[in-house]
Amino acid sequence: MMPQLTQDMHADQTTPLSTEREFSTIPRSNAEAVWEYPSPQQFYNALARKNMAAPEEYVDVMVDIHNFLNEGAWNEVLKWEARHK
């Protein structure tokens, strides 16, 4: 199970970040739902928890790239599975 990720602003943060989350196309194991990507605020908090500096002005783009790469990887898995049925 995924941990609950806070949407609260981090103590060291100076700029509010979006708390909006996007749904992926990747199904969860119960096949009735899909994964939900972290919001920019959750992404920032996760990086801060790991002591990884992240310029606040780039977090939105970082989340977009994260989501794009996950979707691309999932599509590659689907192509591989289609070839090996």
Side-chain angles (χ1 to χ4, degrees):
M1 172 148 48
M2 294 296 293
Q4 280 292 78
L5 302 174
T6 181
Q7 293 275 25
D8 297 332
M9 211 165 149
H10 190 270
D12 298 333
Q13 189 178 340
T14 59
T15 306
L17 296 170
S18 172
T19 58
E20 297 288 320
R21 297 180 72 178
E22 291 184 19
F23 290 100
S24 79
T25 63
I26 304 168
R28 294 183 70 108
S29 61
N30 65 12
E32 293 180 18
V34 293
W35 287 102
E36 195 173 358
Y37 289 123
S39 70
Q41 184 64 62
Q42 290 172 318
F43 199 89
Y44 182 87
N45 290 342
L47 291 173
R49 189 173 56 249
K50 298 172 185 177
N51 293 320
M52 298 175 74
E56 296 167 31
E57 63 270 20
Y58 298 123
V59 174
D60 286 339
V61 174
M62 293 167 69
V63 170
D64 289 341
I65 293 168
H66 169 270
N67 298 355
F68 174 80
L69 292 174
N70 275 321
E71 293 297 319
W74 178 245
N75 285 323
E76 291 301 315
V77 167
L78 293 176
K79 286 193 264 185
W80 187 91
E81 286 180 343
R83 286 193 306 266
H84 295 89
K85 281 189 173 183

